[in-house]
Amino acid sequence: MATQQYPRARKRFGQNFLHDEAIIEAIIEAISPEPGQHLVEIGPGRGALTQPLLAHCDRLDVIELDRDLVPLLSQKLSAHEQVLEIHQADALRFDYHSLQRSNEKLRVIGNLPYNITTPLLFHLLAQGDIIDDMCFMLQREVVERICAAPGNKQYGRLSIMIQHQCAATQLFVVPPEAFDPPPKVESAIIYLQPLSQNRGGEVELAALNRIVTQAFSQRRKTIANTLKKLVTSETFEQAGIDPSQRPETVSVEQYVQLTQGFLQQQRT
Ligand code: SAM
């Protein structure tokens, strides 16, 4: 199908379409779809990933916001209508449970619009019980922040909130030339697998987010100083944290402990 019949790429929908065949192949290999699996693609666009995925899976649901792209995609992939369902919808509001046919878990993939990455990851993780794994193209900087370990300067709120709920691995970097139009920044592929038990134990996510956001609100200060109104010195001690530590040196498990201490104190 000639590309001329597509509308111009829309910036507000974060449209940077993949056209590098080697990169597309590497992404499909990273996903390694197998017969019997149920895949969900977010933002199929012109079908750069959708088409090769269809050759490997039995069920593929795609969620695309752009009303103008949906009929073109549907026409292009009409031969696959028994396997493929196109949903014209906002991935940020989508109920992923509605896609399940029985008890199967979903494999979610996508070259994501960068402007919705963080809220989308949290929306998906809120439905993490039905997600087997996720493989996404994101801004390289965001992938590095998500995967960063304590002590790394990229380590922060995003690393902790995601690593509490997922195993996160950076797979490979993708240069801007792989897209049309090329984005201004480098991209990278991330693999995320929701954990059966959250790292550090169960804790109210809103409370964890509050503690972590506060801890990183002044990166240069010690953790005891930034959290002094929320966490007691006893809780720091129980979590094995030296009050002079900086927020980026505290592990995910320790942030969970601080939050548990904070919640306990609120109840008493
Ligand atoms: N998968 C295609 C590719 O790799 O060439 C397109 C990727 S492009 C970076 C992002 C796609 O997500 C676009 O097709 C865009 O219209 C779509 N999109 C943007 N916001 C969306 C949303 N909230 N829900 C679903 N799709 C969205």
Side-chain angles (χ1 to χ4, degrees):
M1 181 181 280
T3 45
Q4 287 92 307
Q5 74 180 66
Y6 285 109
R8 274 162 58 112
R10 291 188 167 120
K11 216 171 167 180
R12 74 189 159 99
F13 289 146
Q15 292 179 347
N16 298 97
F17 299 107
L18 267 171
H19 67 90
D20 183 319
E21 289 301 329
I23 299 281
I24 293 170
E25 212 173 294
I27 297 171
I28 302 299
E29 205 178 305
I31 301 165
S32 284
E34 290 192 7
Q37 294 178 340
H38 186 163
L39 273 79
V40 179
E41 184 188 2
I42 295 172
R46 297 171 180 172
L49 296 172
T50 324
Q51 196 150 31
L53 277 177
L54 280 166
H56 299 278
C57 69
D58 291 339
R59 180 76 205 153
L60 177 60
D61 284 279
V62 300
I63 302 159
E64 174 55 62
L65 183 61
D66 188 341
R67 284 174 199 278
D68 294 337
L69 285 181
V70 168
L72 298 170
L73 194 63
S74 153
Q75 192 186 344
K76 180 177 179 177
L77 303 175
S78 59
H80 300 275
E81 62 186 10
Q82 296 205 326
V83 174
L84 175 71
E85 189 163 344
I86 304 175
H87 306 263
Q88 193 279 310
D90 183 349
L92 283 173
R93 293 162 194 264
F94 201 84
D95 173 11
Y96 293 85
H97 285 90
S98 71
L99 299 177
Q100 269 189 314
R101 303 195 138 190
S102 53
N103 287 333
E104 87 281 13
K105 286 204 170 184
L106 309 175
R107 302 194 68 202
V108 187
I109 67 115
N111 169 15
L112 298 187
Y114 296 154
N115 52 342
I116 64 163
T117 302
T118 314
L120 182 61
L121 288 178
F122 288 121
H123 180 61
L124 286 165
L125 285 176
Q127 302 175 58
D129 57 316
I130 55 154
I131 296 178
D132 191 17
D133 61 3
M134 298 176 268
C135 190
F136 293 130
M137 171 102 71
L138 309 178
Q139 249 175 281
R140 179 183 184 172
E141 187 236 319
V142 175
V143 169
E144 288 176 351
R145 279 203 277 136
I146 292 174
C147 298
N152 186 310
K153 72 174 192 304
Q154 310 253 48
Y155 182 73
R157 185 183 82 95
L158 199 55
S159 334
I160 295 155
M161 295 306 295
I162 302 280
Q163 289 177 30
H164 172 56
Q165 301 173 78
C166 275
T169 317
Q170 172 170 338
L171 297 184
F172 54 90
V173 171
V174 179
E177 308 79 70
F179 305 85
D180 178 28
K184 289 199 176 72
V185 292
E186 284 191 310
S187 306
I189 301 291
I190 189 169
Y191 181 73
L192 296 162
Q193 196 158 34
L195 298 166
S196 52
Q197 281 186 321
N198 284 343
R199 201 180 305 274
E202 297 309 314
V203 74
E204 208 183 290
L205 292 178
L208 178 64
N209 189 39
R210 178 166 174 204
I211 292 292
V212 174
T213 305
Q214 178 65 25
F216 283 89
S217 62
Q218 289 163 304
R219 267 186 181 260
R220 293 194 181 171
K221 286 200 176 173
T222 65
I223 186 136
N225 205 331
T226 22
L227 292 183
K228 67 177 177 235
K229 290 196 180 134
L230 302 175
V231 177
T232 61
S233 51
E234 226 179 13
T235 302
F236 279 114
E237 204 176 312
Q238 281 164 0
I241 300 170
D242 176 339
S244 68
Q245 275 182 243
R246 305 229 173 253
E248 67 270 20
T249 65
V250 173
S251 71
V252 175
E253 290 84 348
Q254 287 173 318
Y255 274 111
V256 171
Q257 274 181 280
L258 292 184
T259 309
Q260 285 163 342
F262 159 72
L263 287 169
Q264 202 167 353
Q265 210 181 304
Q266 288 223 310
R267 280 183 222 116
T268 54

